[in-house]
């Protein structure tokens, strides 16, 4: 929530990928302001569990909880003592959730990474960063992958 003291709310899409970490690091190294407030948005993978047994459902949910905690711990360590931040998670299509949470938080900017998929793959599978760019009502910074990152 932006305040009158030059506070800027920045939403950053995070997951367990090196692309998200690279986007976060680029923000921290190049455009972070002292009064920024971060909203780190994570949309865990979703699974169709309708036909799964209760034991399988329980195991998947426990694994998901461990993954989400590991991501939160990693980014908590990255912001600790440097910048104010909080985590938000949501379920659904990642692009839609990220845009919705950024709007709820009154973010003035969204930062996201990209896997740099080819045009064909992006067309068939969709792209979270493309969705955010086309549906967000605030500026979006898409950090492209560095050459040394492998897909």
């Amino acid at each position: 929530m932006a305040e009158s003291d030059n506070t800027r709310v920045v939403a950053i899409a995070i997951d367990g990928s090196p692309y998200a970490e690279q986007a976060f690091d680029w923000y921290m190294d190049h455009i972070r302001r002292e009064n920024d407030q971060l909203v780190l948005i994570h949309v865990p993978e979703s699974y169709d569990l309708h036909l799964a047994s209760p034991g399988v459902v329980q195991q998947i949910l426990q694994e998901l909880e461990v993954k989400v905690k590991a991501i939160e711990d990693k980014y908590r360590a990255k912001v600790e003592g440097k910048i104010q931040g909080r985590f938000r998670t949501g379920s659904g299509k990642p692009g839609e959730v990220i845009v919705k949470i950024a709007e709820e938080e009154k973010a003035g900017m969204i930062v996201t990474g990209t896997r740099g998929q080819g045009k064909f793959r992006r067309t068939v599978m969709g792209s979270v960063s493309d969705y955010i760019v086309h549906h967000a009502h605030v500026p979006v910074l898409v950090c492209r992958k560095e050459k040394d990152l492998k897909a």
Side-chain angles (χ1 to χ4, degrees), residues 6-78:
N6 293 329
T7 299
R8 175 176 70 168
V9 177
V10 178
I12 301 181
I14 60 169
D15 59 21
S17 75
Y19 310 104
E21 185 171 7
Q22 178 182 312
F24 175 88
D25 291 344
W26 198 93
Y27 159 80
M28 292 293 285
D29 293 342
H30 297 282
I31 61 172
R32 173 178 58 118
R33 293 183 189 163
E34 189 173 315
N35 291 335
D36 281 356
Q37 296 217 350
L38 295 185
V39 178
L40 301 172
I41 304 171
H42 177 61
V43 183
E45 289 181 64
S46 58
Y47 302 93
D48 184 1
L49 302 174
H50 289 97
L51 300 176
S53 69
V56 170
V57 170
Q58 183 67 23
Q59 180 182 351
I60 289 172
L61 293 177
Q62 286 174 342
E63 289 172 5
L64 189 59
E65 188 176 319
V66 168
K67 286 180 185 177
V68 169
K69 182 171 180 353
I71 290 168
E72 287 187 7
D73 288 348
K74 175 182 186 174
Y75 283 92
R76 184 170 282 112
K78 287 173 123 354

Side-chain angles (χ1 to χ4, degrees), residues 79-119:
V79 301
E80 193 171 315
K82 297 177 186 158
I83 193 166
Q84 294 288 322
R86 65 184 166 281
F87 294 95
R88 292 280 310 266
T89 59
S91 60
K93 294 182 178 179
E96 293 175 10
V97 173
I98 291 163
V99 168
K100 180 178 180 265
I101 291 175
E103 287 176 359
E104 290 172 1
E105 294 287 342
K106 297 178 177 37
M109 172 191 307
I110 300 172
V111 177
T112 185
T114 182
R115 292 184 289 171
Q117 297 175 345
K119 188 174 184 177

